[in-house]
Amino acid sequence: MNLLCKILASLLLIFSFSPKDAVPSDTGNHKEAWGVLDQEVNLDIRKFQVKDLDDIKWEKGPSKTKVAQFKKGKESFRLNGTYTVLANGTLKIKPLQKNSNGIYKVTVYNAEGKNILEETFDLKIVELVSKPEISWDCINRTLTCEVMKGTDPELKLYQNQKHFMTRSQRVVTHKWTSNVNAMFKCTAENRFSEESSEKAINCLEKGLDIYLIAGICGGGILFLIFVGLLIFYISRRKKQNRRRHNEELEIKVHRVTTEERSQKPHQMPASMLQNPAASQAPPPPSHRSQAPGHRPLPPGHRVQHQPQRRPPPSSGTQVHQHKGPPLPRPRVQPKPPRGAAENMSSPSSD
């Protein structure tokens, strides 16, 4: 009997329970939601009749910051104009920013003020991937694929439509061992987007790489310019040294010449000091000044000038040797021949 009463009581309790009056417990489970950066997202709650919704409040984070609220008969609350609560309780966020991610909690009350719903959402923001960039180096035989934007990108490489590499990173590098002439494709993708790039790569070693040739030519030009400047500097330096040397030599020669000229008037030959008579010798006959009215005597009656001998130097005196060119000696009148003298004297005896 007691058992039958307990069963009846349990059935009555079950049939009297209404979902409208149920209050879900916070079990720590969150609904996962995803949104794209710079776009919009809607956080939808369970379906309720609009007439049953009287007060809807959305909060964010552990601090329970109120971001939006809808209440019948009152103006809706919007934080920063980014959040909007619709009539059915949905939270609309536009535009999504990087700091829009986090935990959102919604609380719904009916017209009687009863809490009829509580839900939490874990919103994650995703950035779309950008178009990957392919680059290669024929000298090092490497290919590189890089994606600049995107959340958690995954890169895939294809050669002639054949997949051969997958990496969950922003940059991947492939190195080949032999010559390559193929079409390469790089695909970047994440949860919400996918982008691809294709490049035809031809590395058959037909010659030196154009960048290597340009580098060699540029280096050669720079070297030639440097050598030209060095030669110009050395030649100019030599000219300056030669000009300076010539100027110094001219100054020295001018100085020596000036000193010699200043010393000549004060120097007199020693022979002229010892033999003043020789220095006063009469000039040659052809250069003598003749008095007017006097005829020159014939050669026979001319006074024969004997050369005067230089007195021997005394033992007490020291002979000074003259340095330099020899001094001019006085001319001596030559003796006429004997026959000419007799012929000239015979008419005078007659």
Side-chain angles (χ1 to χ4, degrees):
M1 187 69 178
N2 294 333
L3 180 60
L4 183 60
C5 292
K6 289 182 179 179
I7 293 173
L8 292 174
S10 298
L11 292 173
L12 181 63
L13 181 62
I14 291 173
F15 285 105
S16 63
F17 179 80
S18 174
K20 183 174 62 175
D21 299 330
V23 178
S25 61
D26 186 7
T27 59
N29 296 326
H30 309 299
K31 291 183 178 180
E32 193 175 67
W34 294 85
V36 179
L37 185 66
D38 298 328
Q39 297 185 12
E40 65 178 39
V41 68
N42 292 332
L43 302 181
D44 298 323
I45 64 175
R46 285 187 296 175
K47 300 296 183 180
F48 285 94
Q49 293 184 1
V50 177
K51 63 180 182 178
D52 295 332
L53 304 179
D54 183 72
D55 187 5
I56 306 170
K57 182 173 65 175
W58 285 88
E59 297 172 336
K60 179 186 178 183
S63 61
K64 297 183 179 181
T65 303
K66 185 171 68 173
V67 295
Q69 186 176 11
F70 172 80
K71 199 169 186 179
K72 286 183 179 181
K74 293 184 179 180
E75 186 178 357
S76 299
F77 172 79
R78 299 173 59 187
L79 179 64
N80 299 328
T82 304
Y83 304 92
T84 303
V85 180
L86 304 180
N88 62 356
T90 298
L91 179 64
K92 184 177 183 179
I93 307 174
K94 179 183 179 180
L96 286 173
Q97 301 175 359
K98 290 184 177 180
N99 60 353
S100 298
N101 60 338
I103 303 299
Y104 289 84
K105 181 181 179 180
V106 59
T107 305
V108 181
Y109 298 90
N110 60 9
E112 298 175 357
K114 291 182 179 180
N115 186 350
I116 60 176
L117 177 67
E118 281 188 359
E119 284 185 344
T120 55
F121 298 83
D122 185 7
L123 179 60
K124 297 179 180 180
I125 307 300
V126 178
E127 183 182 20
L128 301 181
V129 295
S130 60
K131 195 175 184 66
E133 298 179 0
I134 299 176
S135 60
W136 66 94
D137 188 349
C138 291
I139 298 176
N140 297 325
R141 297 182 176 183
T142 56
L143 178 142
T144 303
C145 179
E146 181 179 6
V147 59
M148 304 302 295
K149 295 181 180 180
T151 302
D152 300 328
E154 185 179 71
L155 295 179
K156 297 180 180 180
L157 286 179
Y158 300 84
Q159 182 176 351
N160 294 330
Q161 304 300 324
K162 184 178 180 180
H163 174 260
F164 67 91
M165 181 183 291
T166 300
R167 295 289 186 273
S168 296
Q169 54 194 32
R170 293 185 177 275
V171 181
V172 294
T173 302
H174 169 64
K175 189 175 182 67
W176 60 84
T177 57
S178 59
N179 297 336
V180 170
N181 183 15
M183 178 69 71
F184 283 86
K185 177 182 177 181
C186 181
T187 300
E189 60 183 23
N190 61 7
R191 189 182 183 93
F192 290 94
S193 60
E194 179 178 340
E195 295 287 346
S196 298
S197 295
E198 289 185 357
K199 293 289 183 180
I201 299 177
N202 186 1
C203 293
L204 297 179
E205 298 182 356
K206 294 181 179 179
L208 292 175
D209 187 74
I210 185 171
Y211 297 105
L212 180 61
I213 296 174
I216 294 174
C217 294
I221 293 173
L222 291 177
F223 178 75
L224 292 177
I225 293 175
F226 173 76
V227 171
L229 292 176
L230 184 61
I231 294 174
F232 173 75
Y233 173 78
I234 293 175
S235 61
R236 185 177 180 183
R237 192 74 175 177
K238 286 184 177 180
K239 288 181 180 180
Q240 291 179 354
N241 294 338
R242 192 181 300 112
R243 189 182 301 118
R244 188 182 299 111
H245 178 71
N246 293 338
E247 292 177 355
E248 293 178 356
L249 186 61
E250 291 179 359
I251 293 173
K252 288 182 180 180
V253 171
H254 180 71
R255 186 182 301 167
V256 171
T257 305
T258 306
E259 291 179 357
E260 289 180 355
R261 289 179 179 177
S262 61
Q263 291 178 2
K264 277 184 178 181
H266 301 285
Q267 292 180 357
M268 186 175 292
S271 59
M272 294 183 68
L273 293 175
Q274 293 179 0
N275 192 3
S279 62
Q280 296 177 1
S286 60
H287 297 283
R288 289 181 182 177
S289 58
Q290 297 179 359
H294 297 279
R295 295 178 61 186
L297 296 176
H301 297 279
R302 292 181 180 176
V303 180
Q304 300 294 330
H305 295 280
Q306 298 294 333
Q308 298 180 0
R309 293 184 179 178
R310 184 178 299 174
S314 61
S315 62
T317 61
Q318 186 177 1
V319 179
H320 297 278
Q321 296 180 359
H322 175 70
K323 296 181 180 181
L327 296 175
R329 294 183 180 180
R331 291 188 178 182
V332 180
Q333 182 67 28
K335 294 181 180 181
R338 290 185 178 180
E342 291 175 357
N343 294 331
M344 293 180 65
S345 59
S346 59
S348 60
S349 60
D350 293 337

